[in-house]
Amino acid sequence: MERREFLKYMGASSVVLGLTSNLWAGGSKRCKEEVCREAWTKLCDYRIKEAAYAYVHPQKRLPNVFLYGDSISIGYTLKVREQLQGKANVFRTYRNGGATQNFIPGMEKMKKAMFQPYLKNGWDFKWDVIHFNVGLHDLKYMSKGKLDKENGKQVSSIEGYKEKLDEICTYLMKEFPTATLIFATTTPVPQGAAGRLAGDSVKYNKAALDVLAKYPSIMINDLYAFTKPNFNEWCIEPGNVHYNETGKKAQGKEVARIIAENLYN
């Protein structure tokens, strides 16, 4: 083969190899997203139908934010995502976070379901901000699997709550040493709430602050103080601990504001 023909051949081969390489890289990227999406769908189970649990695939150029909480956090998740669009990848835990006893097992289950090396080709990033809350499910009274403040037993005593929250803080600081941690206080419990006593949020928030005093690097988002003056306007109905669209959006904006201030700390 003459030199000119050889060079022409090599040039064509390089183009083909380049195209093949690009296609392979693209295919690999799609494969990773597909693997993670399938794993997330399986992890969420029936909850995947709810918008708050929609799969989020991380954009590498953006910081990664994790929301952990109960149904109150489920309510404001979408607004937080909307507010931080283009500024951060906003994820949430795969279910209702529940009481303090569920926190560490839930975090470990999510890690093993979604992250490398447990999930081949899974997530391989680190959390930049973790915004978390536990409390509303600790202070409730249960009997035979139902809310019952007359005959039920409280899920966590004040001392039990403090002990578990201390374990959570230790766990977070050990597992995610570079993440900014933000604890949100528990929102109000009104008069007439099913399975809960009015005023217990105040008691459990005080207990939480006693624990967090040992961890000065953990920031406080006083969502209780933010919500309390507007509770009657924002609640779904009298005696309900949950919020209407106005309340969810307002809480979401506040959570997003505080997170945005700490994205690059």
Side-chain angles (χ1 to χ4, degrees):
M1 181 181 294
E2 294 185 1
R3 174 180 173 81
R4 182 179 298 177
E5 291 178 347
F6 176 77
L7 291 174
K8 183 178 180 180
Y9 169 78
M10 288 301 295
S13 298
S14 298
V15 170
V16 171
L17 287 171
L19 287 172
T20 304
S21 177
N22 289 337
L23 287 170
W24 177 259
S28 178
K29 182 178 180 181
R30 286 194 298 273
C31 180
K32 180 172 185 177
E33 181 171 352
E34 183 179 352
V35 166
C36 294
R37 186 183 295 275
E38 288 177 356
W40 179 254
T41 299
K42 182 178 179 181
L43 183 63
C44 290
D45 197 16
Y46 65 91
R47 290 171 290 266
I48 196 66
K49 297 178 181 179
E50 298 181 43
Y53 293 101
Y55 176 72
V56 175
H57 197 66
Q59 297 182 48
K60 289 187 177 181
R61 64 183 182 84
L62 297 179
N64 296 297
V65 173
F66 182 63
L67 304 178
Y68 187 102
D70 51 40
S71 56
I72 306 305
S73 76
I74 296 172
Y76 60 65
T77 291
L78 294 181
K79 194 62 181 179
V80 175
R81 284 191 182 138
E82 178 188 308
Q83 293 292 113
L84 296 180
Q85 187 173 6
K87 298 178 182 178
N89 301 308
V90 179
F91 304 78
R92 68 160 288 104
T93 188
Y94 62 93
R95 55 173 172 73
N96 184 315
T100 47
Q101 63 191 6
N102 304 123
F103 190 101
I104 295 175
M107 293 291 286
E108 286 295 298
K109 183 174 180 178
M110 183 171 168
K111 177 177 74 176
K112 292 175 181 178
M114 297 303 304
F115 284 88
Q116 299 180 26
Y118 306 99
L119 177 64
K120 185 177 180 181
N121 219 12
W123 291 342
D124 58 356
F125 58 82
K126 295 181 179 179
W127 298 121
D128 295 285
V129 176
I130 299 175
H131 182 279
F132 68 107
N133 164 264
V134 281
L136 202 56
H137 283 262
D138 287 273
L139 56 80
K140 68 184 180 182
Y141 290 80
M142 300 290 290
S143 176
K144 299 178 180 179
K146 296 182 179 180
L147 292 168
D148 186 347
K149 61 188 173 188
E150 284 76 29
N151 306 302
K153 181 181 179 181
Q154 202 164 32
V155 172
S156 303
S157 66
I158 289 286
E159 287 307 311
Y161 175 69
K162 291 175 72 173
E163 180 180 342
K164 287 295 184 181
L165 182 57
D166 187 63
E167 291 177 6
I168 288 169
C169 292
T170 299
Y171 169 84
L172 289 174
M173 295 195 73
K174 179 182 178 181
E175 292 292 317
F176 312 102
T178 62
T180 297
L181 304 178
I182 305 172
F183 177 81
T185 55
T186 298
T187 47
V189 174
Q191 291 288 345
R196 295 179 173 92
L197 296 177
D200 270 1
S201 286
V202 176
K203 296 176 183 178
Y204 279 70
N205 284 333
K206 182 181 183 303
L209 295 180
D210 288 343
V211 173
L212 290 165
K214 296 167 53 179
Y215 302 92
S217 64
I218 300 179
M219 300 187 59
I220 308 296
N221 173 9
D222 197 351
L223 206 55
Y224 174 92
F226 176 78
T227 301
K228 179 65 175 175
N230 304 287
F231 185 83
N232 291 335
E233 179 187 350
W234 292 353
C235 71
I236 291 178
E237 59 185 1
N240 199 312
V241 297
H242 300 98
Y243 300 94
N244 57 29
E245 287 304 311
T246 301
K248 292 175 184 177
K249 289 178 180 179
Q251 290 172 337
K253 285 183 179 180
E254 179 65 3
V255 170
R257 181 187 69 82
I258 290 173
I259 290 172
E261 290 177 353
N262 293 278
L263 280 178
Y264 300 102
N265 283 359

mmCIF file with all atom_site columns, all heavy atoms in Angstrom, residues 149 188-196 231-232 235-242:
data_model
loop_
_atom_site.group_PDB
_atom_site.id
_atom_site.type_symbol
_atom_site.label_atom_id
_atom_site.label_alt_id
_atom_site.label_comp_id
_atom_site.label_asym_id
_atom_site.label_entity_id
_atom_site.label_seq_id
_atom_site.pdbx_PDB_ins_code
_atom_site.Cartn_x
_atom_site.Cartn_y
_atom_site.Cartn_z
_atom_site.occupancy
_atom_site.B_iso_or_equiv
_atom_site.pdbx_formal_charge
_atom_site.auth_seq_id
_atom_site.auth_comp_id
_atom_site.auth_asym_id
_atom_site.auth_atom_id
_atom_site.pdbx_PDB_model_num
ATOM 1   N N   . LYS A 1 149 ? -53.985 8.324  70.989 1.00 0.00 ? 149 LYS A N   1
ATOM 2   C CA  . LYS A 1 149 ? -53.369 9.002  72.130 1.00 0.00 ? 149 LYS A CA  1
ATOM 3   C C   . LYS A 1 149 ? -54.076 8.690  73.444 1.00 0.00 ? 149 LYS A C   1
ATOM 4   O O   . LYS A 1 149 ? -53.551 9.002  74.516 1.00 0.00 ? 149 LYS A O   1
ATOM 5   C CB  . LYS A 1 149 ? -53.316 10.515 71.889 1.00 0.00 ? 149 LYS A CB  1
ATOM 6   C CG  . LYS A 1 149 ? -54.646 11.195 71.700 1.00 0.00 ? 149 LYS A CG  1
ATOM 7   C CD  . LYS A 1 149 ? -54.423 12.632 71.282 1.00 0.00 ? 149 LYS A CD  1
ATOM 8   C CE  . LYS A 1 149 ? -55.732 13.318 70.912 1.00 0.00 ? 149 LYS A CE  1
ATOM 9   N NZ  . LYS A 1 149 ? -55.503 14.648 70.325 1.00 0.00 ? 149 LYS A NZ  1
ATOM 10  N N   . PRO A 1 188 ? -45.493 22.250 64.015 1.00 0.00 ? 188 PRO A N   1
ATOM 11  C CA  . PRO A 1 188 ? -46.453 22.218 65.126 1.00 0.00 ? 188 PRO A CA  1
ATOM 12  C C   . PRO A 1 188 ? -47.439 21.049 65.113 1.00 0.00 ? 188 PRO A C   1
ATOM 13  O O   . PRO A 1 188 ? -47.830 20.551 64.059 1.00 0.00 ? 188 PRO A O   1
ATOM 14  C CB  . PRO A 1 188 ? -47.214 23.539 64.957 1.00 0.00 ? 188 PRO A CB  1
ATOM 15  C CG  . PRO A 1 188 ? -46.278 24.438 64.230 1.00 0.00 ? 188 PRO A CG  1
ATOM 16  C CD  . PRO A 1 188 ? -45.533 23.546 63.286 1.00 0.00 ? 188 PRO A CD  1
ATOM 17  N N   . VAL A 1 189 ? -47.820 20.648 66.320 1.00 0.00 ? 189 VAL A N   1
ATOM 18  C CA  . VAL A 1 189 ? -48.922 19.706 66.524 1.00 0.00 ? 189 VAL A CA  1
ATOM 19  C C   . VAL A 1 189 ? -50.091 20.516 67.087 1.00 0.00 ? 189 VAL A C   1
ATOM 20  O O   . VAL A 1 189 ? -49.989 21.075 68.179 1.00 0.00 ? 189 VAL A O   1
ATOM 21  C CB  . VAL A 1 189 ? -48.547 18.584 67.510 1.00 0.00 ? 189 VAL A CB  1
ATOM 22  C CG1 . VAL A 1 189 ? -49.772 17.712 67.806 1.00 0.00 ? 189 VAL A CG1 1
ATOM 23  C CG2 . VAL A 1 189 ? -47.412 17.737 66.960 1.00 0.00 ? 189 VAL A CG2 1
ATOM 24  N N   . PRO A 1 190 ? -51.190 20.604 66.371 1.00 0.00 ? 190 PRO A N   1
ATOM 25  C CA  . PRO A 1 190 ? -52.321 21.426 66.817 1.00 0.00 ? 190 PRO A CA  1
ATOM 26  C C   . PRO A 1 190 ? -53.240 20.697 67.799 1.00 0.00 ? 190 PRO A C   1
ATOM 27  O O   . PRO A 1 190 ? -53.138 19.466 67.964 1.00 0.00 ? 190 PRO A O   1
ATOM 28  C CB  . PRO A 1 190 ? -53.062 21.700 65.510 1.00 0.00 ? 190 PRO A CB  1
ATOM 29  C CG  . PRO A 1 190 ? -52.848 20.445 64.712 1.00 0.00 ? 190 PRO A CG  1
ATOM 30  C CD  . PRO A 1 190 ? -51.444 20.002 65.044 1.00 0.00 ? 190 PRO A CD  1
ATOM 31  N N   . GLN A 1 191 ? -54.128 21.434 68.419 1.00 0.00 ? 191 GLN A N   1
ATOM 32  C CA  . GLN A 1 191 ? -55.158 20.835 69.258 1.00 0.00 ? 191 GLN A CA  1
ATOM 33  C C   . GLN A 1 191 ? -56.016 19.895 68.413 1.00 0.00 ? 191 GLN A C   1
ATOM 34  O O   . GLN A 1 191 ? -56.355 20.207 67.281 1.00 0.00 ? 191 GLN A O   1
ATOM 35  C CB  . GLN A 1 191 ? -56.048 21.927 69.852 1.00 0.00 ? 191 GLN A CB  1
ATOM 36  C CG  . GLN A 1 191 ? -55.383 22.809 70.890 1.00 0.00 ? 191 GLN A CG  1
ATOM 37  C CD  . GLN A 1 191 ? -55.143 22.088 72.212 1.00 0.00 ? 191 GLN A CD  1
ATOM 38  O OE1 . GLN A 1 191 ? -55.709 21.017 72.459 1.00 0.00 ? 191 GLN A OE1 1
ATOM 39  N NE2 . GLN A 1 191 ? -54.313 22.674 73.068 1.00 0.00 ? 191 GLN A NE2 1
ATOM 40  N N   . GLY A 1 192 ? -56.331 18.737 68.975 1.00 0.00 ? 192 GLY A N   1
ATOM 41  C CA  . GLY A 1 192 ? -57.202 17.798 68.284 1.00 0.00 ? 192 GLY A CA  1
ATOM 42  C C   . GLY A 1 192 ? -56.521 16.904 67.277 1.00 0.00 ? 192 GLY A C   1
ATOM 43  O O   . GLY A 1 192 ? -57.192 16.156 66.557 1.00 0.00 ? 192 GLY A O   1
ATOM 44  N N   . ALA A 1 193 ? -55.191 16.947 67.209 1.00 0.00 ? 193 ALA A N   1
ATOM 45  C CA  . ALA A 1 193 ? -54.473 16.110 66.244 1.00 0.00 ? 193 ALA A CA  1
ATOM 46  C C   . ALA A 1 193 ? -54.627 14.639 66.602 1.00 0.00 ? 193 ALA A C   1
ATOM 47  O O   . ALA A 1 193 ? -54.558 14.257 67.779 1.00 0.00 ? 193 ALA A O   1
ATOM 48  C CB  . ALA A 1 193 ? -52.997 16.481 66.213 1.00 0.00 ? 193 ALA A CB  1
ATOM 49  N N   . ALA A 1 194 ? -54.846 13.803 65.609 1.00 0.00 ? 194 ALA A N   1
ATOM 50  C CA  . ALA A 1 194 ? -54.994 12.365 65.827 1.00 0.00 ? 194 ALA A CA  1
ATOM 51  C C   . ALA A 1 194 ? -53.675 11.770 66.312 1.00 0.00 ? 194 ALA A C   1
ATOM 52  O O   . ALA A 1 194 ? -52.633 11.938 65.671 1.00 0.00 ? 194 ALA A O   1
ATOM 53  C CB  . ALA A 1 194 ? -55.427 11.682 64.541 1.00 0.00 ? 194 ALA A CB  1
ATOM 54  N N   . GLY A 1 195 ? -53.703 11.089 67.448 1.00 0.00 ? 195 GLY A N   1
ATOM 55  C CA  . GLY A 1 195 ? -52.536 10.367 67.938 1.00 0.00 ? 195 GLY A CA  1
ATOM 56  C C   . GLY A 1 195 ? -51.392 11.225 68.431 1.00 0.00 ? 195 GLY A C   1
ATOM 57  O O   . GLY A 1 195 ? -50.315 10.708 68.736 1.00 0.00 ? 195 GLY A O   1
ATOM 58  N N   . ARG A 1 196 ? -51.606 12.517 68.540 1.00 0.00 ? 196 ARG A N   1
ATOM 59  C CA  . ARG A 1 196 ? -50.540 13.409 68.991 1.00 0.00 ? 196 ARG A CA  1
ATOM 60  C C   . ARG A 1 196 ? -51.097 14.457 69.937 1.00 0.00 ? 196 ARG A C   1
ATOM 61  O O   . ARG A 1 196 ? -52.258 14.872 69.797 1.00 0.00 ? 196 ARG A O   1
ATOM 62  C CB  . ARG A 1 196 ? -49.860 14.094 67.792 1.00 0.00 ? 196 ARG A CB  1
ATOM 63  C CG  . ARG A 1 196 ? -49.123 13.136 66.855 1.00 0.00 ? 196 ARG A CG  1
ATOM 64  C CD  . ARG A 1 196 ? -48.502 13.895 65.682 1.00 0.00 ? 196 ARG A CD  1
ATOM 65  N NE  . ARG A 1 196 ? -47.663 13.051 64.846 1.00 0.00 ? 196 ARG A NE  1
ATOM 66  C CZ  . ARG A 1 196 ? -48.090 12.402 63.768 1.00 0.00 ? 196 ARG A CZ  1
ATOM 67  N NH1 . ARG A 1 196 ? -49.374 12.485 63.390 1.00 0.00 ? 196 ARG A NH1 1
ATOM 68  N NH2 . ARG A 1 196 ? -47.275 11.662 63.050 1.00 0.00 ? 196 ARG A NH2 1
ATOM 69  N N   . PHE A 1 231 ? -49.867 28.720 60.816 1.00 0.00 ? 231 PHE A N   1
ATOM 70  C CA  . PHE A 1 231 ? -50.410 27.370 60.844 1.00 0.00 ? 231 PHE A CA  1
ATOM 71  C C   . PHE A 1 231 ? -51.881 27.316 60.434 1.00 0.00 ? 231 PHE A C   1
ATOM 72  O O   . PHE A 1 231 ? -52.274 26.467 59.621 1.00 0.00 ? 231 PHE A O   1
ATOM 73  C CB  . PHE A 1 231 ? -50.244 26.735 62.225 1.00 0.00 ? 231 PHE A CB  1
ATOM 74  C CG  . PHE A 1 231 ? -50.683 25.299 62.258 1.00 0.00 ? 231 PHE A CG  1
ATOM 75  C CD1 . PHE A 1 231 ? -49.823 24.290 61.850 1.00 0.00 ? 231 PHE A CD1 1
ATOM 76  C CD2 . PHE A 1 231 ? -51.968 24.957 62.646 1.00 0.00 ? 231 PHE A CD2 1
ATOM 77  C CE1 . PHE A 1 231 ? -50.234 22.969 61.842 1.00 0.00 ? 231 PHE A CE1 1
ATOM 78  C CE2 . PHE A 1 231 ? -52.388 23.632 62.644 1.00 0.00 ? 231 PHE A CE2 1
ATOM 79  C CZ  . PHE A 1 231 ? -51.512 22.638 62.246 1.00 0.00 ? 231 PHE A CZ  1
ATOM 80  N N   . ASN A 1 232 ? -52.695 28.192 60.981 1.00 0.00 ? 232 ASN A N   1
ATOM 81  C CA  . ASN A 1 232 ? -54.130 28.149 60.675 1.00 0.00 ? 232 ASN A CA  1
ATOM 82  C C   . ASN A 1 232 ? -54.420 28.378 59.196 1.00 0.00 ? 232 ASN A C   1
ATOM 83  O O   . ASN A 1 232 ? -55.377 27.824 58.649 1.00 0.00 ? 232 ASN A O   1
ATOM 84  C CB  . ASN A 1 232 ? -54.881 29.182 61.519 1.00 0.00 ? 232 ASN A CB  1
ATOM 85  C CG  . ASN A 1 232 ? -54.892 28.807 62.989 1.00 0.00 ? 232 ASN A CG  1
ATOM 86  O OD1 . ASN A 1 232 ? -54.772 27.640 63.355 1.00 0.00 ? 232 ASN A OD1 1
ATOM 87  N ND2 . ASN A 1 232 ? -55.029 29.809 63.855 1.00 0.00 ? 232 ASN A ND2 1
ATOM 88  N N   . CYS A 1 235 ? -52.563 24.933 57.292 1.00 0.00 ? 235 CYS A N   1
ATOM 89  C CA  . CYS A 1 235 ? -52.927 23.545 57.569 1.00 0.00 ? 235 CYS A CA  1
ATOM 90  C C   . CYS A 1 235 ? -54.057 23.088 56.642 1.00 0.00 ? 235 CYS A C   1
ATOM 91  O O   . CYS A 1 235 ? -54.870 23.894 56.186 1.00 0.00 ? 235 CYS A O   1
ATOM 92  C CB  . CYS A 1 235 ? -53.326 23.362 59.028 1.00 0.00 ? 235 CYS A CB  1
ATOM 93  S SG  . CYS A 1 235 ? -54.899 24.102 59.483 1.00 0.00 ? 235 CYS A SG  1
ATOM 94  N N   . ILE A 1 236 ? -54.102 21.797 56.377 1.00 0.00 ? 236 ILE A N   1
ATOM 95  C CA  . ILE A 1 236 ? -55.146 21.245 55.520 1.00 0.00 ? 236 ILE A CA  1
ATOM 96  C C   . ILE A 1 236 ? -56.519 21.461 56.127 1.00 0.00 ? 236 ILE A C   1
ATOM 97  O O   . ILE A 1 236 ? -57.476 21.837 55.448 1.00 0.00 ? 236 ILE A O   1
ATOM 98  C CB  . ILE A 1 236 ? -54.896 19.738 55.274 1.00 0.00 ? 236 ILE A CB  1
ATOM 99  C CG1 . ILE A 1 236 ? -53.659 19.536 54.401 1.00 0.00 ? 236 ILE A CG1 1
ATOM 100 C CG2 . ILE A 1 236 ? -56.106 19.074 54.620 1.00 0.00 ? 236 ILE A CG2 1
ATOM 101 C CD1 . ILE A 1 236 ? -53.313 18.084 54.153 1.00 0.00 ? 236 ILE A CD1 1
ATOM 102 N N   . GLU A 1 237 ? -56.595 21.225 57.445 1.00 0.00 ? 237 GLU A N   1
ATOM 103 C CA  . GLU A 1 237 ? -57.849 21.392 58.181 1.00 0.00 ? 237 GLU A CA  1
ATOM 104 C C   . GLU A 1 237 ? -57.507 21.481 59.665 1.00 0.00 ? 237 GLU A C   1
ATOM 105 O O   . GLU A 1 237 ? -56.419 21.057 60.076 1.00 0.00 ? 237 GLU A O   1
ATOM 106 C CB  . GLU A 1 237 ? -58.780 20.205 57.915 1.00 0.00 ? 237 GLU A CB  1
ATOM 107 C CG  . GLU A 1 237 ? -58.185 18.864 58.314 1.00 0.00 ? 237 GLU A CG  1
ATOM 108 C CD  . GLU A 1 237 ? -59.048 17.691 57.944 1.00 0.00 ? 237 GLU A CD  1
ATOM 109 O OE1 . GLU A 1 237 ? -60.114 17.916 57.350 1.00 0.00 ? 237 GLU A OE1 1
ATOM 110 O OE2 . GLU A 1 237 ? -58.660 16.542 58.266 1.00 0.00 ? 237 GLU A OE2 1
ATOM 111 N N   . PRO A 1 238 ? -58.400 22.000 60.498 1.00 0.00 ? 238 PRO A N   1
ATOM 112 C CA  . PRO A 1 238 ? -58.132 22.067 61.934 1.00 0.00 ? 238 PRO A CA  1
ATOM 113 C C   . PRO A 1 238 ? -57.819 20.676 62.502 1.00 0.00 ? 238 PRO A C   1
ATOM 114 O O   . PRO A 1 238 ? -58.472 19.689 62.171 1.00 0.00 ? 238 PRO A O   1
ATOM 115 C CB  . PRO A 1 238 ? -59.447 22.612 62.508 1.00 0.00 ? 238 PRO A CB  1
ATOM 116 C CG  . PRO A 1 238 ? -60.039 23.404 61.388 1.00 0.00 ? 238 PRO A CG  1
ATOM 117 C CD  . PRO A 1 238 ? -59.677 22.642 60.139 1.00 0.00 ? 238 PRO A CD  1
ATOM 118 N N   . GLY A 1 239 ? -56.787 20.602 63.341 1.00 0.00 ? 239 GLY A N   1
ATOM 119 C CA  . GLY A 1 239 ? -56.414 19.341 63.954 1.00 0.00 ? 239 GLY A CA  1
ATOM 120 C C   . GLY A 1 239 ? -55.555 18.442 63.088 1.00 0.00 ? 239 GLY A C   1
ATOM 121 O O   . GLY A 1 239 ? -55.257 17.311 63.478 1.00 0.00 ? 239 GLY A O   1
ATOM 122 N N   . ASN A 1 240 ? -55.125 18.925 61.927 1.00 0.00 ? 240 ASN A N   1
ATOM 123 C CA  . ASN A 1 240 ? -54.294 18.126 61.029 1.00 0.00 ? 240 ASN A CA  1
ATOM 124 C C   . ASN A 1 240 ? -52.867 18.675 61.026 1.00 0.00 ? 240 ASN A C   1
ATOM 125 O O   . ASN A 1 240 ? -52.668 19.890 60.930 1.00 0.00 ? 240 ASN A O   1
ATOM 126 C CB  . ASN A 1 240 ? -54.874 18.151 59.611 1.00 0.00 ? 240 ASN A CB  1
ATOM 127 C CG  . ASN A 1 240 ? -54.352 17.017 58.743 1.00 0.00 ? 240 ASN A CG  1
ATOM 128 O OD1 . ASN A 1 240 ? -53.154 16.766 58.684 1.00 0.00 ? 240 ASN A OD1 1
ATOM 129 N ND2 . ASN A 1 240 ? -55.257 16.338 58.063 1.00 0.00 ? 240 ASN A ND2 1
ATOM 130 N N   . VAL A 1 241 ? -51.883 17.781 61.128 1.00 0.00 ? 241 VAL A N   1
ATOM 131 C CA  . VAL A 1 241 ? -50.481 18.214 61.166 1.00 0.00 ? 241 VAL A CA  1
ATOM 132 C C   . VAL A 1 241 ? -49.922 18.488 59.774 1.00 0.00 ? 241 VAL A C   1
ATOM 133 O O   . VAL A 1 241 ? -48.781 18.943 59.639 1.00 0.00 ? 241 VAL A O   1
ATOM 134 C CB  . VAL A 1 241 ? -49.582 17.162 61.865 1.00 0.00 ? 241 VAL A CB  1
ATOM 135 C CG1 . VAL A 1 241 ? -49.997 16.984 63.307 1.00 0.00 ? 241 VAL A CG1 1
ATOM 136 C CG2 . VAL A 1 241 ? -49.608 15.828 61.114 1.00 0.00 ? 241 VAL A CG2 1
ATOM 137 N N   . HIS A 1 242 ? -50.698 18.227 58.725 1.00 0.00 ? 242 HIS A N   1
ATOM 138 C CA  . HIS A 1 242 ? -50.231 18.391 57.349 1.00 0.00 ? 242 HIS A CA  1
ATOM 139 C C   . HIS A 1 242 ? -50.676 19.719 56.745 1.00 0.00 ? 242 HIS A C   1
ATOM 140 O O   . HIS A 1 242 ? -51.561 20.401 57.283 1.00 0.00 ? 242 HIS A O   1
ATOM 141 C CB  . HIS A 1 242 ? -50.703 17.219 56.493 1.00 0.00 ? 242 HIS A CB  1
ATOM 142 C CG  . HIS A 1 242 ? -50.193 15.905 56.974 1.00 0.00 ? 242 HIS A CG  1
ATOM 143 N ND1 . HIS A 1 242 ? -50.945 15.056 57.754 1.00 0.00 ? 242 HIS A ND1 1
ATOM 144 C CD2 . HIS A 1 242 ? -48.990 15.305 56.804 1.00 0.00 ? 242 HIS A CD2 1
ATOM 145 C CE1 . HIS A 1 242 ? -50.225 13.980 58.043 1.00 0.00 ? 242 HIS A CE1 1
ATOM 146 N NE2 . HIS A 1 242 ? -49.030 14.108 57.478 1.00 0.00 ? 242 HIS A NE2 1
#
